[in-house]
Amino acid sequence: MANFYTDNPHIQYHLQHPLMERIARLKERDYADADQYDYAPSDYADALDSYQRVLEIVGEVCGEVIAPNAAEVDLTGPTLHEGRVSYDPLTAQNLDTVRQTGLMGMSLPRRYGGLNMPITPYIMAADMVSRADAGFENLWGLQDCAETLYEFGSEDQRERFLPRVCAGETMSMDLTEPDAGSDLQAVMLKATYNEADQQWYLNGVKRFITNGDSDIHLVLARSEEGTKDARGLSMFIYDAKNGGVTVRRIENKMGIKGVPTCELVFKDAPAELCGERRLGLIRYVMSLMNGARLGIMAQAVGISEAAYREAKTYAADRHQYGHAIDKFPAVYEMLALIRAKTDATRAHLYETSRFVDMYKAYDDIARERKLTPEERKEQKYYSRLADAFTPIGKGMSTELANQNVYDCIQIYGGSGYMKDYTCERLYRDVRITNIYEGTT
Ligand SMILES: Cc1cc2nc3c(=O)[nH]c(=O)nc-3n(C[C@H](O)[C@H](O)[C@H](O)COP(=O)(O)OP(=O)(O)OC[C@H]3O[C@@H](n4cnc5c(N)ncnc54)[C@H](O)[C@@H]3O)c2cc1C
C-alpha cells in the first residue's frame, strides 16, 4: 500500500526537530486537555505519537486515493451549472475521504472539533497532499482560512463557523478583483451597512477565486465610502447558506485543473464583519496571506518531491547506449540537483513553520492570560523570524520547484512532452506557485 508519509524519511526527519517539544507543550498548554478529552496527549511522547499517527493516515489517503485520482481529475475537472460549481466526482471522493478521516480543521482547537495540531505537522500533510495532487491541495488547504477566522473573529463567530469547517465544509479567500491583483489596496467590492436590519451587504465582482463556490468565504471589501486605500478595507464572512453570490465562470486554466478558480458576482450578499473595520487588509489579510504562503511553499515542495521520484524512476528504467540513463553524469547531476533543491526548500519550509508555530502558540496563550516579559520577548523574536522567512521561502521554493519540474521533463526526453506521463501535469501545475499569493 502506498503511503506518502512512511515512504518519505525527509518529512519524518523534520518532525523530530528539538523545537517540536516546546511547540507541543505550548500548543497543549502543558497537556491540560488530557483531563478533558480522552484522545488529547498527556506528554510529549504521546503528542509526537499522535502527530505521527495522523500523518500516517494522511500519507495513506494521499497514496491510495488522491494520487491515483489525480490524472483523471486533471482531464475532467469541475463544471458550472446555473451559477453553481460541481466538483469532478473523483475530487468529491477525495473530499469525502479527508472528511471521513477527520483531516479538516487539523490545527483548530478541540473545543471546535479540531485536532489541535501545530502548524508544522499540518504543513507536512500539505506537503504530502501536494505531491499527490497539487490542485486538490488548494481545496483541502483552504482550511487555513479557519485559522484567520479563529484569530480575528468573535467567540460567537468561532462557535458558529469553526465546527462546520472541522465537519468538512470548505472555505475560500475572496481578495482579487479585475483591477486589484498584486495591489490589493485597490479592492472596490462594496460593503454597505443597512441600519434598518443592522446587516452588512456586499456588492461587486471578485475574480480568480480558488474554490469560489465554497461554503464559507472570507471577503475583503471596501466598507468606508469615499476611501481609495487600504484604510478603507474590512474583512467579512459570507455564509453561502444565505445566498447572494453566483459563480459567473470557472477559469479554463493551464494546470491545477481539479480545483475550480471562479469569477464571483456579489449581489446584495448578506455578510458579517470579522474583526474591526478598516483593519481588513492591513492586519487580517496580511496574516491570512502569510499562512497561505506557507501552504504554497508546501505545495512547491510536494511538487518537487513528485518530480524527483518521477525522474529517478524513469532514469533508472530508461536505457540508451547500453546503459540506464541515470549512469550518465549529465543526468545524475540533474537528479542530484532536484534532490538538493527539494531538500533545501523543505528544510526552509519546516524551519519557517516552526517559527510560525512558536509565535502563534504565544499569540493564543495571550488570548487567555497576560504573557510574562520573557514570553513576550520570545513571541516577538519568532514572529520577526516568521515574517522574514515566509516571503523568502515562498519565493525560493516556488522558483526552484519550477526548475525541478523543468529538469524532470528534460530527464524524460521526448516522453516528458507527452500527456502519458505525470511530469507533464506537474509542469503545468507548478507554474502557478510563483504567481499566486504574491508573484515572486
Ligand atoms: C489559479 C489562480 C488561483 C488564484 N486563487 C486566488 C484566491 O483564491 N483568492 C484570491 O484572492 N486571489 C487568487 N488568485 C489571484 C492571484 O493572487 C493574483 O493573480 C496574483 O496576486 C497576481 O495578480 P494579477 O494576476 O492581477 O497580476 P498583476 O498584479 O497585474 O501583475 C502582473 C505582473 O506585474 C508584476 N508587478 C505588479 N506589481 C509590481 C510591482 N510593484 N513591482 C514589480 N512588479 C510588479 C507582477 O509581479 C506580475 O509579473 C489566483 C490566481 C490564479 C491564477
Side-chain angles (χ1 to χ4, degrees), residues 173-176 181-182 207-210 253 256 261 432 435-439:
M173 181 177 79
D174 306 1
L175 315 175
T176 305
S182 302
R207 77 161 178 174
F208 294 167
I209 306 305
T210 301
K253 305 191 294 284
I256 53 162
T261 306
I432 187 60
I435 295 175
Y436 55 20
E437 293 309 331
T439 55

Side-chain angles (χ1 to χ4, degrees), residues 246-321:
T246 48
V247 180
R248 189 148 67 186
R249 61 184 251 127
I250 299 180
E251 302 295 342
N252 184 7
K253 305 191 294 284
M254 178 194 286
I256 53 162
K257 287 188 173 252
V259 63
T261 306
C262 306
E263 185 167 297
L264 305 178
V265 180
F266 288 71
K267 209 166 167 208
D268 289 327
E272 48 190 280
L273 184 67
C274 184
E276 287 176 43
R277 280 168 81 154
R278 295 174 177 269
L279 295 182
L281 180 60
I282 298 165
R283 187 139 176 243
Y284 311 141
V285 168
M286 282 304 164
S287 165
L288 176 67
M289 281 182 55
N290 260 354
R293 282 177 182 165
L294 204 57
I296 306 303
M297 281 163 76
Q299 190 174 41
V301 171
I303 296 173
S304 289
E305 181 70 41
Y308 174 74
R309 287 168 186 260
E310 289 293 320
K312 184 149 178 9
T313 308
Y314 186 81
D317 283 353
R318 173 72 177 163
H319 284 68
Q320 287 292 279
Y321 301 98

Side-chain angles (χ1 to χ4, degrees), residues 418-435:
M418 304 302 154
K419 284 195 173 276
D420 307 348
Y421 292 94
T422 301
C423 57
E424 186 271 343
R425 171 168 51 84
L426 297 179
Y427 194 65
R428 288 181 287 105
D429 285 353
V430 77
R431 191 61 187 87
I432 187 60
T433 59
N434 53 349
I435 295 175

Side-chain angles (χ1 to χ4, degrees), residues 379-439:
Q379 174 195 35
K380 247 190 189 162
Y381 172 74
Y382 283 111
S383 162
R384 283 200 187 132
L385 281 173
D387 279 354
F389 269 60
T390 302
I392 294 170
K394 197 277 179 187
M396 184 182 73
S397 62
T398 59
E399 292 294 332
L400 293 184
N402 271 272
Q403 293 175 16
N404 287 340
V405 185
Y406 180 97
D407 283 351
C408 176
I409 300 255
Q410 196 68 15
I411 288 171
Y412 266 76
S415 299
Y417 201 63
M418 304 302 154
K419 284 195 173 276
D420 307 348
Y421 292 94
T422 301
C423 57
E424 186 271 343
R425 171 168 51 84
L426 297 179
Y427 194 65
R428 288 181 287 105
D429 285 353
V430 77
R431 191 61 187 87
I432 187 60
T433 59
N434 53 349
I435 295 175
Y436 55 20
E437 293 309 331
T439 55

Side-chain angles (χ1 to χ4, degrees), residues 139-157:
L139 194 48
W140 175 81
L142 275 160
Q143 60 178 291
D144 267 0
C145 295
E147 201 46 52
T148 303
L149 203 156
Y150 172 70
E151 284 169 24
F152 304 113
S154 64
E155 188 49 40
D156 169 58
Q157 287 170 331

Side-chain angles (χ1 to χ4, degrees), residues 160-233:
R160 281 184 294 120
F161 293 108
L162 299 182
R164 286 172 54 185
V165 178
C166 295
E169 292 194 28
T170 65
M171 296 194 74
S172 63
M173 181 177 79
D174 306 1
L175 315 175
T176 305
E177 296 178 8
D179 294 319
S182 302
D183 180 13
L184 286 174
Q185 298 177 96
V187 157
M188 288 312 290
L189 188 123
K190 199 171 171 187
T192 321
Y193 190 70
N194 185 338
E195 290 290 349
D197 61 359
Q198 306 209 328
Q199 172 76 57
W200 286 94
Y201 290 94
L202 304 179
N203 282 284
V205 174
K206 292 280 179 191
R207 77 161 178 174
F208 294 167
I209 306 305
T210 301
N211 194 34
D213 202 17
S214 69
D215 301 299
I216 304 161
H217 302 228
L218 292 183
V219 189
L220 184 65
R222 190 159 296 282
S223 54
E224 314 306 315
E225 212 174 340
T227 58
K228 286 202 160 58
D229 62 12
R231 288 167 295 185
L233 299 172

